[in-house]
Amino acid sequence: QVQVVESGGGLVQAGGSLRLSCTASGLIFDAYAMGWFRQAPGKEREGVSCINYSGGRTVYADSVKDRFTTSRDNTRNTLYLQMNSLKPDDTAIYYCATSDEYYCSASWYYGRNFGAWGQGTQVTVSS
């Protein structure tokens, strides 16, 4: 059984930084792409970033490009999301998910083909 656990959320002022972590167990971690997603109150879930199985390729939503960086440590079964220059619009619950594929598909943003999801971690950015 695959288990995914996020950590690192919290309250930060606008312009600040946070780093989220996600550990996954019960799977061959370095065989699958991973993704970060978020859902703000009253809004639909949206993709934040996706990273392929090796970490050699990442894709980002336009809203976070140049501010967020996704990386992975396959020796630790851990995924990271470094968030810089945070804005109040970044306030959301952030979720980590494991892909069913080794690469980030064209539909990654919608969370398709992501089989296991964590419970999420709250990120709140104050103005």
Side-chain angles (χ1 to χ4, degrees):
Q1 181 178 356
V2 178
Q3 290 190 320
V4 179
V5 180
E6 305 94 340
S7 62
L11 173 64
V12 64
Q13 288 188 330
S17 298
L18 277 176
R19 188 176 84 153
L20 306 183
S21 299
C22 166
T23 58
S25 59
L27 78 167
I28 302 173
F29 185 79
D30 61 3
Y32 299 99
M34 298 285 294
W36 285 103
F37 300 83
R38 67 186 183 185
Q39 186 165 20
K43 295 186 177 181
E44 292 188 355
R45 184 187 67 199
E46 63 177 0
V48 174
S49 66
C50 180
I51 186 167
N52 76 341
Y53 73 104
S54 68
R57 184 172 184 270
T58 54
V59 289
Y60 298 92
D62 287 345
S63 60
V64 306
K65 203 171 293 184
D66 298 328
R67 298 189 298 123
F68 291 10
T69 301
T70 292
S71 60
R72 63 190 295 163
D73 184 344
N74 286 344
T75 67
R76 299 176 181 269
N77 282 25
T78 302
L79 175 73
Y80 301 100
L81 182 66
Q82 177 67 44
M83 304 184 294
N84 298 329
S85 302
L86 282 161
K87 305 175 181 179
D89 283 349
D90 295 318
T91 295
I93 299 175
Y94 284 69
Y95 299 92
C96 168
T98 65
S99 175
D100 298 332
E101 300 165 316
Y102 68 91
Y103 63 98
C104 299
S105 69
S107 62
W108 74 269
Y109 180 86
Y110 303 101
R112 295 173 189 161
N113 298 323
F114 284 82
W117 295 75
Q119 293 297 307
T121 185
Q122 176 71 48
V123 172
T124 303
V125 184
S126 63
S127 57

